[in-house]
Amino acid sequence: MTLRVLGVDPGLTRCGIGVVDVEKNRRATMVAFGVVGTSPEENLDQRLLVIATSIDDWLDRYEPHVLAVERVFSQLNVSTVMGVAQASGVVIASAARRGIPVALHTPSEVKAAVTGSGTSNKDAVTKLVTKILRLDAPPRPADAADALALAITHAWRAGSGAAVATTGPGSQSLTPAQRAWADAEAKARRAR
């Protein structure tokens, strides 16, 4: 069975969206991607309404099995964190109204899953997303590439049974990216 994942890189100004179909053998195919933009000059309620309406449209049009959203993480700029959290909330609520499960992934989990390193930069993520999805050109802007990376990450994680052993029997069969992702996930759990 093919798993369809809608990835969302939340933000008030630019909210990246990407839909990916992933087969059991982990072959990923891009279905669609885009960015929902809102102007900082607009009132907050109107900006959130634009994001909510757009997400509703994407969920209705592409009917994903699951939604993968970037987990809000602490930054020095509180207003940026608040905007990301608010956008995430409307996205998660849209999925919940339809009974679509939502998974949250940290930026380092996503980077580790697609590049093999949890500290990769945006250019490396975009380059590997382009390669994984066999695209002729990189998805632009970077928010769209990040959304596709989130979708890929979740599908690969779901396909691995959600827990990948990094030691013990069978760990030698993991790819370097899977090992790095599992290490990043274990480190994130220990930090909680």
Side-chain angles (χ1 to χ4, degrees):
M1 179 182 129
T2 299
L3 178 67
R4 175 163 287 182
V5 184
L6 192 148
V8 179
D9 181 27
L12 275 178
T13 303
R14 286 181 317 277
C15 186
I17 306 170
V19 181
V20 174
D21 284 344
V22 181
E23 301 167 32
K24 279 190 163 218
N25 66 2
R26 296 171 44 104
R27 181 178 168 92
T29 304
M30 191 273 300
V31 176
F33 68 86
V35 172
V36 176
T38 68
S39 170
E41 283 78 42
E42 292 291 319
N43 290 329
L44 176 62
D45 57 340
Q46 292 304 306
R47 295 177 81 184
L48 292 173
L49 180 60
V50 167
I51 293 167
T53 302
S54 296
I55 290 296
D56 285 342
D57 182 47
W58 280 74
L59 292 173
D60 292 343
R61 185 179 321 149
Y62 295 106
E63 300 179 340
H65 299 113
V66 64
L67 201 77
V69 181
E70 185 172 276
R71 182 185 304 270
V72 177
F73 62 99
S74 177
Q75 293 178 327
L76 297 176
N77 188 340
V78 175
S79 64
T80 299
V81 171
M82 288 301 297
V84 170
Q86 291 163 330
S88 294
V90 298
V91 167
I92 292 168
S94 290
R97 278 193 298 275
R98 290 164 176 75
I100 299 171
V102 175
L104 301 174
H105 298 283
T106 66
S108 61
E109 288 172 344
V110 174
K111 292 172 186 178
V114 298
T115 71
S117 171
T119 60
S120 295
N121 62 29
K122 282 192 176 286
D123 289 339
V125 171
T126 299
K127 182 178 179 181
L128 269 293
V129 164
T130 304
K131 183 176 181 177
I132 290 165
L133 296 174
R134 301 167 316 283
L135 302 176
D136 294 331
R140 297 281 184 224
D143 308 276
D146 289 348
L148 291 167
L150 276 152
I152 292 166
T153 297
H154 182 75
W156 285 0
R157 179 180 184 188
S160 69
V164 179
T166 56
T167 60
S171 65
Q172 286 75 16
S173 64
L174 298 177
T175 67
Q178 287 173 315
R179 254 191 309 281
W181 177 84
D183 291 342
E185 182 182 53
K187 184 177 179 180
R189 275 198 212 114
R190 286 191 302 271
R192 287 186 209 163

